[in-house]
Amino acid sequence: MGKKWSNLRSYWNKPQRAAYLFLLPAAVLILVFNIIPLFASFFISMLDMGISFDSAKFIGLDNFKEALTDRRFVNSLIVTLKFTVIEVPIQMVLGLVLSAMLTKNTFTNKLFRSIYFIPIVCSATAIGIMWQIILHSNVGLITYWVKLLGFGKVNFLNTPGLTLGVVIFVSVWRTFGISTIILISAMQNVPGDYYEAADIDGAGKIRQFFSITLPSIMPSFWFLLMTRVIGFLQVFDLVFTLTDGGPNYTTETLVTYVYNRAFDVGNRMGYATAMSEFLFLIIMVITLIQYRIMKKTEY
């Protein structure tokens, strides 16, 4: 027994082998909460079932075929893409401009960084409820100010053509702080020698930004862009608390519709999972395209 224990101990005593023991807990968590659910979702998407497996029936690809002819699914997909295409560029440009202005570690800059980052640490649900009160058609503060300015009574959360823009505004307001902080960190890691050499050559601040700062922070910029796109394609909590997809489904995102079909209307877990697979495919394709572009533009 003592010899076996000694052999086992000597086997795991090597650093390259002992490392696997430290990686094991994380590997188990990834397996249980990521890999297994991923494959399970493909199986569930081919079932006609509710929230339990009691009445599950295998129907093959019927759920996918139904989704392609479901106008509400197509509409939710368009809304999601529209939301992402508008929100991400605004947030990235805003974060880039603010990070350039707040790079220096002065007291004022640190204060503004903290203020901008506060919405990030707050729950998206709490943010949605707060803005729902602020924009309420009867008791909302902003609605009252708009009325005082002579624009009449504006229903920000129940006007087709306007409400999606309001949701995008609230989303940008909540999340631009994280973009700003990440880009500030990247800019502060750019060697100061580059700027000193540029000053000697007579380059101005704008030229330095586009010729030195921007190329130097591209890895962080691409990382931020990819994570933002992936995150906003899955937007749910903010939309759910602000508008619940209304009015007339003009703000209903794909995840909101998936939730609605799985838990609220019809209790169709199999169909909702099939729609989720479409979202998974879209995110994977967009991420791969972004990754290819990033690799081609590396300096």
Side-chain angles (χ1 to χ4, degrees):
M1 184 68 180
K3 187 177 181 180
K4 289 182 178 180
W5 172 255
S6 178
N7 292 336
L8 183 63
R9 185 176 179 181
S10 62
Y11 178 83
W12 289 108
N13 202 32
K14 293 184 178 180
Q16 62 270 29
R17 292 172 179 169
Y20 290 108
L21 292 178
F22 291 97
L23 292 173
L24 183 60
V28 171
L29 290 175
I30 292 173
L31 178 66
V32 173
F33 293 104
N34 291 93
I35 298 177
I36 292 177
L38 178 63
F39 286 101
S41 67
F42 284 110
F43 174 71
I44 294 174
S45 66
M46 292 186 286
L47 300 177
D48 180 13
M49 57 171 287
I51 202 168
S52 67
F53 282 90
D54 295 341
S55 58
K57 178 183 177 183
F58 183 80
I59 57 174
L61 300 177
D62 288 355
N63 283 328
F64 295 94
K65 295 177 182 178
E66 181 180 350
L68 293 174
T69 58
D70 186 348
R71 291 185 178 181
R72 195 168 162 189
F73 167 75
V74 175
N75 174 73
S76 66
L77 180 58
I78 293 173
V79 170
T80 303
L81 294 174
K82 188 185 298 185
F83 177 90
T84 305
V85 167
I86 298 174
E87 208 278 359
V88 173
I90 293 175
Q91 182 186 149
M92 295 297 295
V93 171
L94 184 60
L96 197 60
V97 172
L98 289 175
S99 60
M101 296 170 60
L102 302 174
T103 302
K104 293 183 179 179
N105 287 322
T106 64
F107 173 78
T108 304
N109 287 353
K110 291 179 180 179
L111 178 63
F112 277 107
R113 290 178 206 167
S114 302
I115 293 172
Y116 294 153
F117 197 74
I118 287 175
I120 294 296
V121 300
C122 298
S123 165
T125 303
I127 294 292
I129 294 173
M130 180 190 75
W131 277 98
Q132 190 180 52
I133 296 172
I134 293 174
L135 297 170
H136 194 278
S137 58
N138 295 322
V139 298
L141 182 62
I142 292 181
T143 307
Y144 174 72
W145 288 344
V146 169
K147 190 175 180 180
L148 287 180
L149 292 173
F151 292 100
K153 185 178 179 181
V154 181
N155 194 337
F156 288 101
L157 299 178
N158 197 30
T159 303
L162 175 64
T163 305
L164 181 61
V166 173
V167 174
I168 292 173
F169 166 79
V170 175
S171 178
V172 172
W173 176 87
R174 177 179 178 262
T175 56
F176 79 92
I178 188 66
S179 302
T180 303
I181 296 300
I182 291 176
L183 293 175
I184 285 174
S185 177
M187 289 181 185
Q188 289 179 338
N189 287 324
V190 179
D193 297 343
Y194 295 171
Y195 298 105
E196 292 176 5
D199 286 331
I200 294 173
D201 291 338
K205 295 298 181 182
I206 296 178
R207 179 64 183 274
Q208 290 181 22
F209 177 79
F210 285 102
S211 299
I212 298 175
T213 305
L214 199 56
S216 299
I217 66 170
M218 284 309 292
S220 298
F221 184 87
W222 276 110
F223 164 78
L224 188 61
L225 180 62
M226 277 198 249
T227 54
R228 295 293 88 191
V229 170
I230 292 171
F232 290 121
L233 285 172
Q234 303 175 75
V235 64
F236 168 74
D237 40 15
L238 197 62
V239 174
F240 185 75
T241 52
L242 263 178
T243 64
D244 195 18
N248 299 324
Y249 311 123
T250 54
T251 62
E252 185 176 62
T253 61
L254 186 52
V255 179
T256 308
Y257 182 44
V258 167
Y259 173 85
N260 181 274
R261 297 296 284 177
F263 302 106
D264 194 13
V265 178
N267 188 23
R268 297 188 61 190
M269 184 64 68
Y271 181 53
T273 306
M275 290 189 290
S276 299
E277 299 304 327
F278 279 109
L279 180 59
F280 167 76
L281 181 62
I282 292 169
I283 291 175
M284 183 178 67
V285 171
I286 293 176
T287 303
L288 289 174
I289 292 173
Q290 286 182 305
Y291 182 76
R292 291 288 297 273
I293 296 173
M294 179 188 71
K295 297 298 288 184
K296 289 182 179 180
T297 56
E298 278 185 347
Y299 289 87

